[in-house]
Amino acid sequence: STLDNRKKIKVDHVRFFARVQSFFADSRTQVIAGILLLALALFMFIAYVSFFFTGAADASLLDLPHAERVAHRGEITNFMGLVGAHIAAFLVDGSFGVFSVLVMFMLFLYGLQLLDAYKKASWKLFFCSVFYLVWGSVLLGFIQLVTGVTSFFRWGGAHGAFLAEWLNSYIQPVGVIILLVVSLIIFLICSDRQFIPR
């Protein structure tokens, strides 16, 4: 009877994984996932654009304790409300800065791919977007650092500001410029076979 129970458990596991696999392979699931990704990308993009006009006004409200922040949510001026203000502040100031728009770009293209409206979304797109997200963040953080321009947000986000300051403390501005240029050239050579001939 123990052997029969083990066989039954194995069969149940196989059936469960088969059901999960068929659920994700179902075209309806892919369409729903595609629509959700497009909606999320659109929501984030509107909140992102709004941040540049409303972020300074919303910053003081976002710094309030949770209960007070929720109580004053009607005063948030971001086009996507309190949730949009939080997402935009995190994307722009708290993570990768202005180049965070690439996150929405990736979500949008992968959503189109799930809907069979775009065929080229691939791992190459993902790695290219991640490289430009990180590289652009450091570039803008470095530019803001050396120019001393003040703003209500960090151009390269928290990531770019931290890395730019850290690199600058070790290799100074000229070294950072060389590092940024060389890393970009190496990436272009690796990602585009026609880069060297061109």
Side-chain angles (χ1 to χ4, degrees):
S1 87
T2 307
L3 186 61
D4 289 341
N5 284 340
R6 286 180 184 169
K7 285 181 180 177
K8 186 179 178 184
I9 289 169
K10 284 181 181 177
V11 169
D12 287 342
H13 277 303
V14 170
R15 286 178 182 165
F16 172 75
F17 287 117
R19 285 198 298 270
V20 170
Q21 186 179 8
S22 66
F23 172 77
F24 284 108
D26 190 338
S27 61
R28 292 174 299 174
T29 303
Q30 292 183 4
V31 169
I32 291 169
I35 291 170
L36 289 174
L37 278 180
L38 291 178
L40 178 62
L42 181 62
F43 183 92
M44 290 169 69
F45 182 72
I46 294 171
Y48 168 88
V49 171
S50 176
F51 175 84
F52 297 104
F53 303 99
T54 64
D58 292 341
S60 57
L61 294 170
L62 293 177
D63 289 336
L64 294 172
H66 177 71
E68 290 182 51
R69 191 166 61 239
V70 172
H72 291 280
R73 65 186 177 274
E75 298 171 32
I76 293 288
T77 53
N78 189 287
F79 300 156
M80 294 289 107
L82 180 61
V83 175
H86 267 296
I87 290 172
F90 170 74
L91 285 172
V92 180
D93 189 57
S95 59
F96 294 98
V98 175
F99 274 80
S100 292
V101 71
L102 291 172
V103 173
M104 292 150 260
F105 177 72
M106 278 193 297
L107 289 175
F108 186 77
L109 288 184
Y110 283 116
L112 288 178
Q113 185 184 31
L114 286 169
L115 296 174
D116 284 333
Y118 182 76
K119 301 292 184 187
K120 293 183 181 178
S122 64
W123 284 106
K124 184 177 179 181
L125 168 71
F126 174 78
F127 287 118
C128 286
S129 298
V130 169
F131 172 81
Y132 285 117
L133 186 68
V134 173
W135 185 86
S137 171
V138 176
L139 173 68
L140 292 182
F142 175 70
I143 290 171
Q144 190 172 24
L145 177 69
V146 295
T147 59
V149 177
T150 56
S151 175
F152 71 91
F153 68 96
R154 293 166 284 195
W155 297 353
H159 170 267
F162 171 77
L163 269 184
E165 192 172 337
W166 181 76
L167 287 169
N168 193 57
S169 69
Y170 277 97
I171 57 177
Q172 296 299 310
V174 174
V176 177
I177 292 169
I178 292 170
L179 179 65
L180 287 169
V181 171
V182 168
S183 61
L184 178 62
I185 291 171
I186 290 171
F187 175 77
L188 290 172
I189 291 170
C190 293
S191 62
D192 183 2
R193 292 179 184 276
Q194 298 303 314
F195 179 74
I196 293 174
R198 281 202 301 269

